Amino acid sequence: MVLLAEARLSSSVLPRKIIKNSNPTNNGSSRRSSSLSLCSSKTGQSPSLTKTSLRLTLPYESQSPENSFAQEITDLCNNGTLNDAFFVLSRHLLKSSDFASLTNAFGILIQACGYHDDLNVGRKVHELISSSKELMSNPILTTRLLTMYFSCGSPSDSRSVFEELEVRNLFQWNAMISGYSKNDLWNDAIAVFCQLLLTTELKPDNFTLPCVLKSCAEVSDAEMGQGVHGMILKMGLVSDIFVNNSLMSMYGKCCLVDEAIRVFDKMPEKNLVSWNTLLFVLSANGLILEGFELFLDMISLDKEFLEMDDATLVTVLPMCAFEGWIELGKLVHGLSVKLDLNHELRVSNALIDMYGKCGSLVEAQFLFKKTLQRNVVSWNAMIGACARNVDIDGTFEFLQAMSFEEGMMVNEVTVLNVLPACLGPLYLNYVKEIHGYVVRNGLKINSLVPNALVAAYAKCGSLDSAKHVFNGMEMKTVSSWNALIGGCAQNGDPISAVQLFLQMTSSGLQPDWFTIGSLLLACAHLKHSHQGRSVHAFIQRNGLEKDSFISISLISFYIQCGKVSTARTMFNMMEEIDSVSWNAMISGYTQNGMPDESLNLFRKMQRYIYEPSLVAITSAFMACAQLSCLRLGKETHCFALKANFAEDTFVGSSIIDMYAKCGSIDQARCIFDRLHEKDSVSWNVIITGYGIHGCASEALELLVEMQEEGLNPDEFTYIGILMACSHAGLVEEGLEYFKQMPTKGVAPKLEHYACVADLLGRAGKLNDAVQLIKGMPEKPDARIWSSLLGACRIHGDITLGETVANKLLELEPHKVEHYILASNLFASSGRWDDVRRVRNLLKENGLRKDPGCSWIDLKGKVYCFMAGDNQNPECAAIHVMWSILEEKISQIGYVPDTESVLHEVDEVEKLKLLRGHSEKQAIVFGLLNTSAAVKIRLYKNIRMCRDCHNATKLVSKVVGREIVVRDNKRFHHFRDGFCSCRDYW
């Protein structure tokens, strides 16, 4: 141990006078405890003195007439009039010869100076004592002087007194060690301890060692702490309960949990502090399950032997909050009521915090209202609960109420709780008000508040304000850079995010996992796959790929850049695949138009016994919708019902969308009507569903109902309405709704202009469509020109169509569908040279036309048919069946429309090509493999041609079956020789 002390002293400040925190005006009251207690009360060392318990009294033997002045000093000290007490004492010092009485009076006044933080009177008393060699040699007075100076926040004065002592006893050494510890001067406390070992024959006792252990814990010096543990063993203090409690606390703060448990297990005697200490050690080190096992052991002990206190409960409740264990939290709440501890303020605060973090906001509010005496922690817990549960109005209501509460001051914790609730532009003024309060009250004592302000401004869309706060920060930490980089990446300025990252690294700071995640998000938004791969290389060089957050960020980046196979490779290489990774990959397949792979992975996730989340369920519904797989959609719906997900409004909207896009609009409406809570998303989905089915009257009726329910239509509502009008040919009505948008506070966007251009184009009003496009406030995108080009082909306007085709190919020269539209335009008018020119351009650009495909879902399996494909095993049966059907429909008016064949071939070849269209094959396959009561449902990847449309109408009549076809424009419901589109598509 001496060697350990020598090693510590070799670089310590002890050879020279220690001067720390020497400003006499700094009373340090916020960090100070009583001068009568040498060690922390947390370890049970000795009762600490509190301001409510101070009451100075004379010893019994001093209560004599001769010592009435000592009683007078005692009374004055109790009243807090220390200057008067000093005057009385200095007056009697000149005429009194009773040394014992004087010593006692000096001790009382010194003690009172420490309690009242009166450094000025304390120094006067010290000066009087220094004038007497006899008084300065009194160990009790000098010990109290040491403690008084530490209590008044002046360790340098304590050090001066200590160095002037000719003889030092253990109490004075303990006073120094304890004083430094209480003033958070942990290294100084350890240095004095080492000096004690090296320069004296004194042996530390059970008052010395807990203070040293606390200091070791605070500076995370496990080696020094283990050395002190060795001393404890040699000195035979292993049975001292207070020393052992300090040992456990030290090991816990140094993350040596096993050592703390060993100390606990070997303790011959344990008190409540022992159990609470180990419970806190386990909780603080994230061992929540182990902590609860210990708590259950505590409960099982004899009540008379160990009764839990409020410290136990305020340790257990945060564990419930951390894991979201609401039921266990309620049990602990019940226990607090049984023990009559629920009225303790810190217990009620912990309960409010627990309920808030477990999502039970109502219970948190109920407890808060029942709490009669609230402090700042109470208000912060309630405000934090509202913010965490996205009760924005509640957050600001409680903040306002707190500001009106007498004696309550908003502090840094309040600000840090409120700012995350500011989630959009509507709350920008709130952020500005909070920022002003922070500046006025000087709350920017660390980087946490400025960082939170940067993040809040970014979320509210004010990136300039976020940058202004960031630039005003004196010390920029990695977290500060992360706040701004993340804000830019997530809120529409990914280029700035990348530039800030380069500035950060050039300043010498190393990025962490959050920086990397934000940078990958920025690269994903910019579709900068090259830069993203560079970031991936950086991750590999620095060994960060094993971090689950970074792995998921990489997967998300590759998905958003369309590199799904690379994302899947990353996914397969992960050592531990959590639910977030599964969700990212499942939704990624759906987003990239790979619904089959999405559903396969969804099934695999279930086989691996991972509980699918709302994200996975929603992605599965989207995949079913993309494939128009009603059976698979119904199976997923059943799964959602069993998992209690169907009540979620977002999942409910996904179910409605799935049924609508699988052709079952009636079932979609049934689900919509059964929703308990209908938000704007639910209304928009069902309105759009009716729109793609061409049911304009139903969509318009729903719009009226939506407004009657108090919900205002938004941009997505109007897309559904305009789509419905377009598919139904309601030109005037559609234009009226388009004009109505600004009056409802909705600014028309490119999507709305595309819908109106389609509305006019379908109706043959091509000039009106052109004028609309010319008058747009924004530059038209490819969707608008594509819609107009399709209308030009339908209505035979080759001149306008050629102009539009050129614009379209200029905008997006790598989109195959644009070349196909242009080719079909020229083919429909017999301009085969132009057709060949366009198709040659297609080849020169390395592009290839996707064949016309149709998918049909039978008994949960999806079958795909391609135009002209003769490789299907049932190809022969399909051809035979179609020949029979063609003969029947010919008898009731079917005439093949060879103009639908846009190829330069003879009539015989055109008839052959028409018979090989994918939807005809899929319909026949469905008829061959289903009973007469089943609807035939199929999905086609391109627009249905006129010949297939006419043929399918007649087939539905001769077979007496309903046939539902979804092409890339809309739904067609064929029944009894008619189509729901009324031949307007």
Side-chain angles (χ1 to χ4, degrees), residues 665-677:
I665 189 64
D666 293 337
Q667 185 65 29
R669 180 60 183 268
C670 183
I671 300 296
F672 173 79
D673 290 338
R674 291 208 302 259
L675 285 179
H676 296 299
E677 293 184 14

Side-chain angles (χ1 to χ4, degrees), residues 278-312:
L278 185 59
L279 192 62
F280 181 80
V281 165
L282 294 171
S283 174
N285 285 275
L287 300 172
I288 307 301
L289 288 174
E290 292 82 352
F292 260 104
E293 289 175 4
L294 183 70
F295 177 63
L296 294 175
D297 289 343
M298 289 180 69
I299 295 175
S300 66
L301 291 174
D302 184 11
K303 182 180 178 182
E304 294 182 2
F305 172 69
L306 183 71
E307 184 168 326
M308 284 171 283
D309 63 1
D310 57 340
T312 315

Side-chain angles (χ1 to χ4, degrees), residues 495-540:
I495 294 175
S496 289
V498 176
Q499 292 171 345
L500 285 164
F501 172 77
L502 297 174
Q503 291 176 31
M504 173 187 170
T505 51
S506 64
S507 71
L509 290 173
Q510 288 297 313
D512 61 9
W513 57 270
F514 188 90
T515 326
I516 297 298
S518 297
L519 185 61
L520 285 170
L521 178 62
C523 292
H525 283 321
L526 294 168
K527 299 294 187 287
H528 283 180
S529 57
H530 178 71
Q531 288 89 335
R533 284 195 293 270
S534 298
V535 177
H536 191 176
F538 175 87
I539 291 169
Q540 290 176 319

Side-chain angles (χ1 to χ4, degrees), residues 793 824 827-828 832 896-907 909-915 917 945-947:
R793 189 187 77 79
N824 291 345
S828 63
W832 298 111
D897 185 356
T898 55
E899 289 186 5
S900 297
V901 180
L902 303 175
H903 296 279
E904 193 178 9
V905 293
D906 59 31
E907 287 296 309
E909 188 64 25
K910 285 183 179 181
L911 289 172
K912 183 179 178 182
L913 290 172
L914 284 177
R915 292 179 181 124
H917 278 192
C945 74
R946 283 199 309 269
D947 180 74

